[in-house]
Amino acid sequence: MTTGETSLLVSKPWLRPMVSVEHFRVKRRMTAAGVVRAMRKMGLGAGELGRAYDALNEMRLDGKCTKFMGVAGAMIPAGLRSLIAHMAKRGYMDALVLTGAGVTHDLMEGLGERPSLLRSDRTDEELLSKGVHRIYDIAVKRRSYTKLESFVKRVLRSMPPGSYGTYRVIEALGSAIKDRGSIVKQCLSSHIPVYSPGIVDSVLGSQIWARSEGRVKINVLEDMNHIVDKAWSSKRAGALFLGGGVPKHFILLAAHTAGRPLSYAVQITMDRPEHGGLSGAKLQEAVSWRKLLPGAKRADLICDASIALPLLVAALEERNRHKR
Amino acid sequence: MTTGETSLLVSKPWLRPMVSVEHFRVKRRMTAAGVVRAMRKMGLGAGELGRAYDALNEMRLDGKCTKFMGVAGAMIPAGLRSLIAHMAKRGYMDALVLTGAGVTHDLMEGLGERPSLLRSDRTDEELLSKGVHRIYDIAVKRRSYTKLESFVKRVLRSMPPGSYGTYRVIEALGSAIKDRGSIVKQCLSSHIPVYSPGIVDSVLGSQIWARSEGRVKINVLEDMNHIVDKAWSSKRAGALFLGGGVPKHFILLAAHTAGRPLSYAVQITMDRPEHGGLSGAKLQEAVSWRKLLPGAKRADLICDASIALPLLVAALEERNRHKR
Amino acid sequence: MTTGETSLLVSKPWLRPMVSVEHFRVKRRMTAAGVVRAMRKMGLGAGELGRAYDALNEMRLDGKCTKFMGVAGAMIPAGLRSLIAHMAKRGYMDALVLTGAGVTHDLMEGLGERPSLLRSDRTDEELLSKGVHRIYDIAVKRRSYTKLESFVKRVLRSMPPGSYGTYRVIEALGSAIKDRGSIVKQCLSSHIPVYSPGIVDSVLGSQIWARSEGRVKINVLEDMNHIVDKAWSSKRAGALFLGGGVPKHFILLAAHTAGRPLSYAVQITMDRPEHGGLSGAKLQEAVSWRKLLPGAKRADLICDASIALPLLVAALEERNRHKR
Amino acid sequence: MTTGETSLLVSKPWLRPMVSVEHFRVKRRMTAAGVVRAMRKMGLGAGELGRAYDALNEMRLDGKCTKFMGVAGAMIPAGLRSLIAHMAKRGYMDALVLTGAGVTHDLMEGLGERPSLLRSDRTDEELLSKGVHRIYDIAVKRRSYTKLESFVKRVLRSMPPGSYGTYRVIEALGSAIKDRGSIVKQCLSSHIPVYSPGIVDSVLGSQIWARSEGRVKINVLEDMNHIVDKAWSSKRAGALFLGGGVPKHFILLAAHTAGRPLSYAVQITMDRPEHGGLSGAKLQEAVSWRKLLPGAKRADLICDASIALPLLVAALEERNRHKR
């Protein structure tokens, strides 16, 4: 029996017994929700996408659930920045965990530095000589990092010396950003803490290191403290993971430590499980770690999140019109 | 420089120089086309999905292009049967290449046998004892194959003894199917040949072998002959590949043999290229084989086709409303 | 429960209960068998490699087992040609199933045309202009195909008109090759039939089509007939699959049709199962199809076969020295 | 042109022009080095493994190169603990970067708690009830974590209050471990710092958080400071990456910050690049970031590290016998 089935079932007791596959029927002017909902009784990835939609929908409507979102990978420069900010505004999350690079990318755009799509056949050697950094098919200018550095320096100067959790440093940085489209800015106004426990492992982290002049220290244990309180604060916990990495594990660990194994979980990743990395581990594995409830509503979606997330959120935004 | 860039560029001369990433913006009641078109200036998979949409759209509007579609994997029992039949009806293809399993699955449903979604934690041992065959999370009943066998036997009896290309055997089978939802049936009425050069490598093939009593022989060289004529018949050729396998290679080979390297190509696969299999090979590799034009409009979409195809087709069906 | 566990266990009843991981200990001048055997009590891929070694070893020593080998992908030009020929000579297989490309690559080298490693940064456009075809990082010259074509023409002329199974056409081609290093040549002298049911889907197939002048017809049903007899011929059947595709399915189908579900099975592939393709399907799925015995000794090795096969065979060749 | 070629060439100017593929020839009692060296002129993954061997060999012999090793994923409980400790002892690295889980797993075994291989078809629900945590096919007992916790508590008590880099906390923990087989213990005696900038994102991190009673604070910026000095300390830098995650990025960032872009780099991962995660990014991308020298000797090996590392190290240990 494969992960597929079990992630469907052992672990989805609320599902009905064997049902027939319902073929996707295309209609005139289908909406995003129309497309996703028509996939619910399909097999393979499409069916999993349908279950991801249902799990996220129920999680969102559950007033007693603290919602976590974890984002790894280059999703922000790829074009999901506005969408994630929108999700923060619309109550899709109560806490956000980003990689250091994620915070870096959001802040740089907040300073007016936009990434580009690589549209030439330049080699990495040529890009290097032109001061362009590559993330697969995305280009980020070196000067964007220089601009970020002076911003970081300025903000750090404004902070009283001491030891801070990353969420507090990010708060300080976010409040100095004007751009309303920024994720950290939006989270600030929506009272959503943004954690980045791996921040030192990023350009931003090294800039904080270089510019803090020893005045500002980072104490990631304070982040752990704070996110565990967050999880404690309500009856249930749920999570949406884009990719794995530190964000996925930090959220699972917080849910476990707080005694709130996830009741809802949706993972969107392209990694695979056989070589044992947490990023590609099927959600069900987390049951044995008491990080996920056996009966949790969940979906393991094997898809590039830059494709799946826009489709899912566009569909979820219609939910009032599509009563179930 | 990675495949990503090059598949974007070396090979996409019609594209403009570096452009800024445009973030996905969710709107009220977004349609499928709204979602896909909003991805066109995103990076990573979303951008590639946008390019797949553009390439398929232009291919469809090109009256001088013979359109091929190749389908590998379990896409039909997964829930794409109606969609592919719809595409045949709506002129998305002039020729279709299926695996033997693909033809088998379409015919079985044509006989009223539907696949199901596995919704229990049964092991394969239990499924075996219950006469249920598993395709990842899809269940197909053994008795469906028995039913198919008597149908095949009946049809073969009705055919004059001789040696046939697979497309002719499939024609005979399709004309005996009543179900209007059938892909082969629809292709028959739309004058779209359905080739299955690997047919012997399927339950259907072994049934033909078992039931033809030596009267009906399969001559796959006749398929090659016929599909090459198809490619010759117009100025340009284009293709949409779901997965790789025999369908992908057979179409590329026909385009090459006919002197019609593809002018449009969209590949939707989850396989990867590094270990040298054709299924995961990036389209660009086909340029060195004179199977794809250097300037072909193309997209290498790394996605489960059960997710990407419904979204793309739903979007393409709106094209009249969304003038470019 | 994941594929991992189940492929380990549900399906490996002969295994003992939970055992401690034994860490790999490097020693002076370790042999291939030393390396592989030291992996047997490791987890993840290494453990699976150890199980592949054990399953292949037992299969080889089982005198009542008909051994099948299926090869898909570009393993022959990648450098496994001599190794597979060696395996044929040393009794690792009783029947071999190749893709059409596999036969093509073996014959071309038999005619003195060797593939090269791409050692420049040429684009596919440049390779095209230089008459070089690319298979990921391997180069094959166009003129090698021209040379093959005249050879094929000559051999076909020597064959009496009629309809042939692919294994008979391959026999005729093999007997015309002088190179002792050829796989088909070696199989011929070792009385190992080489089937290629998807042959028409290859350059060789199109050359047969172009050069047979209608005198030589291919009847793949004869291949099915012949391979099923092969499977029938002994008490048990076993298989080693490099990649999936037609070779994997054709062998599974023959084992099923002959009423000899595999007692041993080792699959070496990089494909993944979630999107439903047979190539990436875990072996256990075949149990529900009565193509694999529930208690079969097996391994699902996620690895590039160009790495795993040399290591496994080098280790197996030492077995007499390493008694268990 | 694919990543394959370019990772081979654009970026490997020292390589000769097109060379013929040399087929793998199996010999009696082949050693690990015999196997790996016979793969050097093969294509696909085998050729890359051969290049990984060459790059690691040259890196090891380069007295002016600071060698970094990064380990992500479950490689330690999978069975690579002794091998990595051996590599530390034998001078394969000057600095090691682990995930928090990596340190946790090494310490737990140091306390006598060994992981097991899952050898039953238990579900995760059953494992949970039995106090067993699952990492794909590896089992770790809950009580092992309890044992670790009291150990951590004891060690933290012995440390003077203050703020520490993770490498100093790991030093303290390592010196309290008796087991000579421990990686952190071995690194301590070999004067190799062990960094774990993402430590808070692990059970160990949460135990430090829970047990430090605010006396011991973690300051990851001190790790950055220390590893950058390490990179500065010699003329060149090189790295071996098992998987990606924080260890990969932290090393690349240190090399960049210290003005020592890597001169040698070998990456062993199963992740793929198209969706933009750093873990799956081809090494060449790092050239545009000035983290890798354009002419660096490198290999992007797509393989489960539990298979590739033992084979590579067993081969490298023979190098004195195999002069080039």
Side-chain angles (χ1 to χ4, degrees), chain C residues 243-291:
Chain C
V246 166
K248 176 182 177 181
H249 192 259
F250 193 64
I251 290 169
L252 287 174
L253 193 59
H256 172 80
T257 309
R260 298 284 183 276
L262 302 176
S263 300
Y264 307 90
V266 171
Q267 165 170 286
I268 306 175
T269 183
M270 287 292 286
D271 297 342
R272 54 189 303 170
E274 297 89 347
H275 56 285
L278 182 73
S279 299
K282 301 292 180 183
L283 286 168
Q284 181 168 4
E285 197 175 283
V287 167
S288 73
W289 292 86
R290 191 170 270 127
K291 293 171 177 175

Side-chain angles (χ1 to χ4, degrees), chain A residues 52-67 86-94 238-239 264 312-320, chain B residues 26 28:
Chain A
Y53 169 83
D54 288 339
L56 290 173
N57 201 15
E58 297 191 34
M59 175 166 85
R60 192 176 178 196
L61 300 173
D62 181 345
K64 298 204 152 115
C65 175
T66 302
K67 302 159 192 67
H86 175 89
M87 291 171 75
K89 189 174 189 170
R90 295 294 308 270
Y92 282 82
M93 70 197 77
D94 301 306
Y264 307 90
L312 281 167
V313 176
L316 287 163
E317 291 287 290
E318 282 178 63
R319 79 186 191 295
N320 301 329
Chain B
V26 66
R28 302 292 290 155

Side-chain angles (χ1 to χ4, degrees), chain D residues 47-200:
Chain D
E48 205 66 13
L49 184 74
R51 283 180 288 277
Y53 169 83
D54 288 339
L56 290 174
N57 200 15
E58 296 192 32
M59 175 165 86
R60 191 175 176 197
L61 301 172
D62 182 344
K64 298 204 151 110
C65 175
T66 303
K67 302 157 193 69
F68 294 91
M69 181 169 179
V71 181
M75 289 301 132
I76 293 169
L80 296 186
R81 185 179 184 244
S82 307
L83 185 62
I84 295 170
H86 175 90
M87 290 171 76
K89 189 173 190 172
R90 294 295 307 270
Y92 282 84
M93 70 196 78
D94 302 306
L96 177 63
V97 183
L98 298 177
T99 57
V103 181
T104 305
H105 294 307
D106 179 64
L107 293 176
M108 287 194 313
E109 284 213 56
L111 298 172
E113 296 295 307
R114 297 180 60 185
S116 308
L117 294 177
L118 279 159
R119 283 281 188 264
S120 82
D121 58 351
R122 291 196 189 127
T123 64
D124 286 291
E125 287 72 8
E126 291 170 308
L127 293 175
L128 173 65
S129 69
K130 300 219 179 325
V132 174
H133 302 319
R134 183 169 70 82
I135 301 170
Y136 195 60
D137 64 356
I138 301 164
V140 185
K141 292 176 219 64
R142 189 180 304 137
R143 71 142 203 266
S144 305
Y145 288 91
T146 326
K147 200 160 168 182
L148 177 65
E149 187 155 22
S150 39
F151 169 77
V152 169
K153 186 174 181 175
R154 183 159 54 76
V155 175
L156 291 173
R157 286 243 171 97
S158 71
M159 296 173 69
S163 165
Y164 298 85
T166 63
Y167 74 97
R168 290 175 59 201
V169 177
I170 294 166
E171 233 172 63
L173 293 162
S175 57
I177 287 285
K178 313 242 164 320
D179 172 22
R180 300 231 135 276
S182 158
I183 294 170
V184 297
K185 182 86 179 172
Q186 181 59 56
C187 287
L188 195 60
S189 33
S190 304
H191 308 293
I192 298 167
V194 179
Y195 308 97
S196 186
I199 198 166
V200 68

